[in-house]
Amino acid sequence: MTQAIVHIIDDDPSLAASLDSLFRSVGLASRTYGSTAEFLEADLPDAPGCLVLDVRLPGISGLDFQGQMAELGLRLPVVLMTGHGDIPMSVRGMKAGAVDFLPKPFRDQDMLDAVTAGIARDAVRRTAEVDINSVRDRFATLSPREQQVMALVTAGKLNKQVAGDLNLSEITVKIHRGSAMRKMAARSLADLVRMAETLGLRQSA
């Protein structure tokens, strides 16, 4: 399994070094950046991880950067930290999806707990994306007719109705349906329906 990486963005070199040491002491790989610009210029590895972000940074603030991450295609879970914590700032960060908001000075264990939760969240997201891509890849192996049959069957239509819609014989529909289920590795019709939902297939019954 690819090792998770904790990315630390803080303009205080001593705090960044302290966090780097903390994470490495429990076997976590980490990288430090002095600004969001430095982080964006870095070659980020394709690995699960978490972003530890200081709210007060030179240039763009940590909170503003957190808000821009989705637009930049960055989906790392964020742990926010600040020496100037206030309730509105904390609420804003958490509403934007932060894993945790830690006012300085924080306990090492609180930071480790937050980062561990962030990495776990990212691992779940990455696994789900792999599953979605796998379903898409399998769907692409279906013939256009098999894709049509799958869309109609998973919308709740009977073989007979599908045959009427596509001007096919019912036996031909059964063959296409069986082939689609085999290629999609669906164990049941319910399985196939879940895959259709994942793919966003929309056919009205």
Side-chain angles (χ1 to χ4, degrees):
M1 183 179 170
T2 308
Q3 184 180 20
I5 299 176
V6 183
H7 302 273
I8 306 159
I9 305 181
D10 198 301
D11 62 333
D12 179 347
S14 61
L15 178 60
S18 174
L19 286 170
D20 180 60
S21 176
L22 171 65
F23 297 137
R24 291 181 186 279
S25 73
V26 294
L28 286 171
S30 66
R31 293 185 177 187
T32 61
Y33 314 87
S35 66
T36 54
E38 187 182 332
F39 172 73
L40 290 173
E41 288 167 6
D43 184 17
L44 301 178
D46 182 20
C50 180
L51 181 61
V52 175
L53 182 61
D54 196 330
V55 167
R56 307 279 180 171
L57 289 169
I60 183 172
S61 77
L63 275 177
D64 287 339
F65 182 67
Q66 180 198 13
Q68 292 177 11
M69 284 178 63
E71 295 170 27
L72 295 168
L74 297 168
R75 287 170 291 179
L76 286 170
V78 174
V79 174
L80 291 166
M81 54 182 178
T82 181
H84 313 272
D86 58 54
I87 296 301
M89 192 181 284
S90 170
V91 169
R92 182 181 159 195
M94 297 302 284
K95 278 188 174 178
V99 177
D100 209 340
F101 190 99
L102 302 176
K104 303 172 190 172
F106 43 76
R107 294 189 315 129
D108 286 354
Q109 193 58 52
D110 289 341
M111 175 59 78
L112 290 174
D113 288 347
V115 164
T116 299
I119 290 171
R121 182 189 292 184
D122 196 43
V124 168
R125 175 189 65 80
R126 291 169 65 88
T127 298
E129 285 183 356
V130 167
D131 290 345
I132 290 169
N133 289 334
S134 175
V135 169
R136 284 183 183 142
D137 290 344
R138 292 200 296 273
F139 185 69
T141 70
L142 271 57
S143 70
R145 185 63 88 190
E146 287 166 351
Q147 290 181 356
Q148 286 179 313
V149 169
M150 175 176 166
L152 292 168
V153 165
T154 55
K157 292 201 172 188
L158 302 172
N159 290 342
K160 188 176 182 178
Q161 293 172 305
V162 176
D165 284 356
L166 300 179
N167 199 23
L168 299 170
S169 69
E170 200 171 336
I171 189 71
T172 301
V173 169
K174 285 180 181 177
I175 291 169
H176 285 317
R177 175 175 171 166
S179 179
M181 288 190 67
R182 186 177 67 257
K183 289 180 181 179
M184 293 300 294
R187 295 181 298 272
S188 63
L189 178 58
D191 236 5
L192 200 65
V193 169
R194 279 192 292 273
M195 292 175 188
E197 288 172 352
T198 297
L199 293 164
L201 298 184
R202 293 284 180 269
Q203 289 282 355
S204 55

